[in-house]
Amino acid sequence: MPALACCVDAAVAPPGYAFTGDSSLPAPVPFTGEPPATNGASALPTGEHSHWSPALSAALYRIDGWGAPYFSVNTSGNISVRPYGKNTLLHQEIDLLKIVKKVSGPKSAGGLGLQLPLIVRLPDVLQNRLESLQSAFDFAIQSQGYESHYQGVFPVKCNQDRFIVEDIVKFGSAFRFGLEAGSKPELLLAMSCLCKGSPDALLVCNGFKDADYIALALVARKLALNTVIVLEQEEELDLVIDLSQKLHVRPVIGVRAKLRTKHGGHFGSTSGEKGKFGLTTTQILRVVRRLEQAGMLDSLQLLHFHIGSQIPSTDLLVDGVSEAAQIYCELVRLGAHMRVIDIGGGLGIDYDGSKSSESDISVGYGLEEYAMAVVRAVQYVCDRKSVKHPVICSESGRALVSHHSILIFEAVSARVHDSPASSLGLHCFEEGLSEEAYVDYRNLSAAVTNGQYETCLHYAHQLKERCVDQFKEGSLGMEQLAAVDGLCDLVSQVVGAADPVRTYHVNLSIFTCIPDFWGIGQLFPIVPIHRLDQRPGVRGILSDLTCDSDGKIDKFIGGESSLPLHEFEGGSEVVAGGSGKYYLGMFLGGAYEEALGGLHNLFGGPSVVRVSQSDGPHSFAVTRAMPGPSCGDVLRVMQHEPELMFETLKHRAEECGLEDDDGMTNNGGGSLISSGLALSFHKMPYLVAGSSCCMMTNSSAYYYGEEDNCNGGGGGAAAGDDDQWSYCFA
């Protein structure tokens, strides 16, 4: 209270003025020298630890829960990537901060010159996820004596990026791993990619279909791709029969069943009898009769169903698989040549590390439990019906690609309340107060002297409201209103009632980069990727660059409404263009986010790099680098023509007489203004720290190791015929 007392004059009240002892006011609170407890954001960890440690940060941010076995905190306080999961050796771990510095550093210093935000893709993690899923089913099949095998497919809707799909086909070739498509362009890319995959890999054709879609799927069959057309609507069957006869192709057909089993969580809206997709049992029986009449019942070979994404528990999983297995056995009884049961998606991941079956963002099982539950459920039903065990297929997209992609972005400034004591100007603001406001001010002075917290807050709030009314009426100046604001903020800070949560402004568009947070409230783990050996001193929310009030993240895993964060280095609260960089990472976002992101405020997608573990201690290879869309790129998406726009602006510059100081033209025909305009079309829409910005092509590979030297040759990933590779060791 002494600091506050210096700013507020405690005076004897004039006649007729109320004092803090008035019975109509809150009872005084004895002054103890300590601020009272508040109901604000939960406190940051305190206790007997005199020094912070990486282990405490790992616990604070739940990294060991949601991040295992791929992410941890190293002894330097940075996030480490463990590219081979639990099989990663210590020297194979990759420091994520070093990746960011190498990628975003200037090319003159050996960096790639890419601008943030940035997606770091980790194909080693992707391969480990695929192999772990396959191993889980292989173990369950072997241990249970199941008499068939597992072969999964990747639903390309989760992430249609060319290099991700190609990696999955390559990594899964030994396991006959295939692809699932839900539209004509997805089918085209799946057909192309699977030409390089296993000939036994499934190409599952889901989604609503017209004649063109079905004809394309039949052509895929003619191209010796293991294509299955899954009927989502009963009407699609006539098209399949008619077109297959015209194209002289014997189709393989599947049916999607609407199960009674319903997923009750957020992601279960497409399940149950009233789900968006699939056929009822009555419709399935009509399909069987129609195929029998056409002499094509042997073409019906696959049963597909989907309980819903993020299945929370194996109990729900077993319930749905058992119901579907009964339908499968009935189709066998009816004469269909059934071979495959496709259990769809639903294999969830643990976004918050809670391992809870009661949450939409967590699951109460791991890969091994999931696979064992599926195998046992199918085996039990088929054995009771004396039906041959089918091939088990799953469409596990989220569980495959989520972990391998990290979104990195930078906090560029933080908004905090101004230090009110330095600029109150209390010596002059009294004279403009109304009589009622002056009463509140003098009563506030008395409450300060007596150390009465609740009473201070009461009069400060009342004083502020009266002064705002005066300002609206025009009887109080802006300087006086600012002084009152500062005084009231100081009162709140001293008594411990001020909002401790800061707003950190981040160089990001939430609508483009994390659309599921805005659209459905999906939570992802967000963590500083460095300084984790330091105690975070504040709590904050994240506000993006867009001119939209929804462009903020104010909900975090663990039920938190703010995130523990560090002060900017050097004590600066505004660091745009400065050297004190503060990097944050959003993890487990490899599924859906890139495909769903829009162009709100014309902020395009992030830059992308592909990073693999390399030979040498803690070394990595950046095997592909792609800058994010430029201003010109995003303008083209909205039907603008950047070339014509530039010519229009250049002509206006010439009309305005804007030329170089020496009258010379720049770049052979335009003023410096024109050159700057041209460059603006080629830059990303996001903020640029510093005074320079480098452009980057996607045809180079850069290697990071222990020593900083450049080498014109070198080993590592093989280059494609159309790629030119150079190597850099740092």
Side-chain angles (χ1 to χ4, degrees):
M1 277 297 190
L4 183 58
C6 292
C7 298
V8 182
D9 296 323
V12 178
Y17 280 56
F19 266 148
T20 56
D22 191 302
S23 60
S24 64
L25 299 177
V29 179
F31 178 63
T32 62
E34 297 290 336
T38 67
N39 294 323
S42 58
L44 296 174
T46 58
E48 57 188 18
H49 300 283
S50 58
H51 300 286
W52 198 251
S53 70
L56 291 174
S57 286
L60 175 65
Y61 294 105
R62 302 185 176 203
I63 296 171
D64 294 337
W66 56 261
Y70 301 106
F71 307 106
S72 61
V73 184
N74 62 28
T75 55
S76 299
N78 303 331
I79 294 288
S80 271
V81 176
R82 307 181 74 241
Y84 310 116
K86 61 185 179 182
N87 297 321
T88 305
L89 302 177
L90 182 61
H91 74 276
Q92 294 174 323
E93 294 186 0
I94 304 171
D95 190 313
L96 187 56
L97 181 63
K98 291 182 178 179
I99 295 176
V100 174
K101 287 185 173 181
K102 174 58 65 175
V103 167
S104 63
K107 296 173 73 175
S108 60
L112 276 67
L114 286 185
Q115 188 179 340
L116 269 60
L118 171 74
I119 288 178
V120 178
R121 292 203 180 114
L122 304 161
D124 294 324
V125 172
L126 179 60
Q127 182 172 3
N128 184 265
R129 290 298 293 175
L130 193 154
E131 292 175 348
S132 297
L133 176 62
Q134 185 72 39
S135 295
F137 272 99
D138 287 347
F139 176 78
I141 286 169
Q142 183 178 2
S143 64
Q144 296 302 306
Y146 190 82
E147 296 176 355
S148 190
H149 65 273
Y150 166 79
Q151 59 180 104
V153 296
F154 172 65
V156 296
K157 68 178 180 180
C158 288
N159 198 318
Q160 298 97 338
D161 180 83
R162 168 191 166 186
F163 302 103
I164 292 176
V165 179
E166 288 181 351
D167 277 345
I168 289 173
V169 171
K170 180 177 70 174
F171 299 151
S173 181
F175 312 122
R176 297 168 286 195
F177 212 89
L179 300 173
E180 179 269 349
S183 67
K184 284 176 275 191
E186 287 185 352
L187 178 53
L188 286 167
L189 76 87
M191 291 167 61
S192 174
C193 289
L194 284 176
C195 286
K196 299 179 181 179
S198 167
D200 296 323
L202 289 168
L203 172 51
V204 177
C205 300
N206 287 332
F208 295 122
K209 304 169 189 69
D210 61 7
D212 288 341
Y213 187 144
I214 292 170
L216 190 59
L218 292 170
V219 168
R221 191 83 189 159
K222 290 176 77 78
L223 296 176
L225 297 174
N226 191 10
T227 310
V228 183
I229 300 173
V230 178
L231 303 179
E232 303 276 4
Q233 300 180 99
E234 191 177 353
E235 296 79 9
E236 295 169 358
L237 178 58
D238 288 334
L239 283 173
V240 173
I241 294 173
D242 180 55
L243 290 170
S244 65
Q245 292 171 349
K246 291 179 179 178
L247 293 173
H248 306 289
V249 181
R250 193 69 173 178
V252 174
I253 299 172
V255 291
R256 177 166 178 169
K258 283 185 179 179
L259 302 185
R260 269 70 169 181
T261 304
K262 185 170 175 57
H263 176 357
H266 170 80
F267 294 101
S269 60
T270 58
S271 63
E273 291 183 88
K274 296 184 179 180
K276 177 179 178 182
F277 301 104
L279 309 179
T280 64
T281 52
T282 301
Q283 291 173 316
I284 292 174
L285 287 172
R286 287 202 293 261
V287 166
V288 170
R289 287 196 293 268
R290 178 74 177 90
L291 285 171
E292 191 172 23
Q293 292 168 0
M296 297 175 60
L297 189 54
D298 60 327
S299 292
L300 181 55
Q301 299 180 18
L302 180 144
L303 174 69
H304 171 45
F305 67 94
H306 179 63
I307 301 173
S309 297
Q310 280 287 109
I311 297 174
S313 69
T314 54
D315 289 341
L316 176 61
L317 175 67
V318 168
D319 195 18
V321 172
S322 298
E323 181 185 350
Q326 295 286 355
I327 298 174
Y328 180 93
C329 291
E330 286 298 297
L331 289 172
V332 171
R333 181 181 64 82
L334 292 170
H337 288 201
M338 302 297 292
R339 293 191 309 108
V340 181
I341 183 167
D342 180 354
I343 64 175
L347 173 55
I349 61 173
D350 191 357
Y351 286 102
D352 65 4
S354 65
K355 295 178 172 56
S356 169
S357 60
E358 304 298 323
S359 169
D360 280 341
I361 61 171
S362 184
V363 291
Y365 55 83
L367 292 179
E368 293 77 10
E369 293 90 344
Y370 176 87
M372 189 66 73
V374 171
V375 170
R376 284 176 173 171
V378 175
Q379 183 179 30
Y380 177 76
V381 174
C382 289
D383 285 350
R384 288 184 61 196
K385 298 283 189 176
S386 299
V387 170
K388 182 181 177 181
H389 295 167
V391 173
I392 295 176
C393 174
S394 75
E395 301 176 5
S396 302
R398 185 189 302 268
L400 276 184
V401 298
S402 291
H403 297 76
H404 97 292
S405 183
I406 307 167
L407 174 67
I408 306 294
F409 53 96
E410 185 181 358
V412 293
S413 66
R415 185 174 71 236
V416 296
H417 292 296
D418 294 330
S419 177
S422 63
S423 58
L424 287 178
L426 295 177
H427 59 281
C428 64
F429 96 108
E430 296 181 32
E431 58 193 44
L433 296 181
S434 67
E435 182 175 324
E436 294 83 359
Y438 190 75
V439 170
D440 293 328
Y441 173 60
R442 304 313 298 171
N443 286 340
L444 174 60
S445 301
V448 168
T449 303
N450 296 330
Q452 298 169 327
Y453 288 115
E454 295 296 331
T455 306
C456 284
L457 291 174
H458 170 79
Y459 282 118
H461 177 70
Q462 196 162 283
L463 171 63
K464 189 171 184 176
E465 285 192 334
R466 294 190 196 279
C467 289
V468 169
D469 289 340
Q470 279 191 255
F471 180 76
K472 291 178 179 179
E473 294 168 357
S475 61
L476 197 69
M478 185 179 294
E479 297 88 348
Q480 294 164 309
L481 183 64
V484 172
D485 286 339
L487 172 63
C488 295
D489 288 345
L490 179 60
V491 170
S492 297
Q493 290 177 27
V494 171
V495 304
D499 184 1
V501 177
R502 301 185 184 183
T503 298
Y504 274 55
H505 301 284
V506 293
N507 196 11
L508 186 75
S509 165
I510 291 168
F511 304 92
T512 299
C513 300
I514 321 178
D516 269 343
F517 176 81
W518 170 72
I520 62 174
Q522 171 71 43
L523 302 183
F524 298 91
I526 298 176
V527 181
I529 68 168
H530 60 135
R531 298 180 62 186
L532 297 175
D533 55 345
Q534 305 171 27
R535 181 194 299 272
V538 298
R539 299 193 71 99
I541 64 172
L542 307 179
S543 177
D544 76 356
L545 298 180
T546 64
C547 302
D548 198 303
S549 58
D550 285 340
K552 64 181 179 180
I553 301 177
D554 54 4
K555 294 182 177 62
F556 302 88
I557 63 170
E560 298 290 341
S561 58
S562 61
L563 185 69
L565 296 168
H566 302 85
E567 300 272 7
F568 283 117
E569 289 180 331
S572 172
E573 295 303 339
V574 180
V575 299
S579 59
K581 296 182 181 297
Y582 190 48
Y583 297 110
L584 299 163
M586 186 205 80
F587 294 79
L588 309 185
Y592 298 108
E593 300 313 290
E594 294 171 59
L596 292 175
L599 289 175
H600 188 34
N601 267 166
L602 294 187
F603 285 108
S607 302
V608 179
V609 291
R610 189 174 184 269
V611 179
S612 298
Q613 195 271 332
S614 182
D615 293 337
H618 306 287
S619 298
F620 59 85
V622 180
T623 58
R624 184 164 297 277
M626 194 73 172
S630 67
C631 292
D633 293 332
V634 296
L635 286 166
R636 285 189 188 91
V637 173
M638 304 306 292
Q639 308 302 313
H640 297 279
E641 299 183 42
E643 294 80 10
L644 294 180
M645 296 168 68
F646 168 70
E647 290 299 328
T648 299
L649 294 171
K650 180 182 175 182
H651 181 66
R652 174 57 63 91
E654 292 171 351
E655 288 181 337
C656 294
L658 299 176
E659 294 182 339
D660 295 354
D661 293 338
D662 58 2
M664 301 291 291
T665 60
N666 188 48
N667 292 333
S671 67
L672 286 176
I673 292 291
S674 297
S675 300
L677 287 169
L679 186 59
S680 295
F681 282 101
H682 293 286
K683 289 183 176 181
M684 285 179 67
Y686 294 95
L687 303 184
V688 179
S691 58
S692 63
C693 181
C694 300
M695 305 304 294
M696 178 64 197
T697 66
N698 65 343
S699 59
S700 299
Y702 297 79
Y703 274 76
Y704 176 88
E706 289 295 327
E707 299 179 359
D708 193 3
N709 62 75
C710 292
N711 190 335
D721 294 334
D722 57 345
D723 289 326
Q724 296 179 356
W725 301 88
S726 61
Y727 304 100
C728 182
F729 297 84

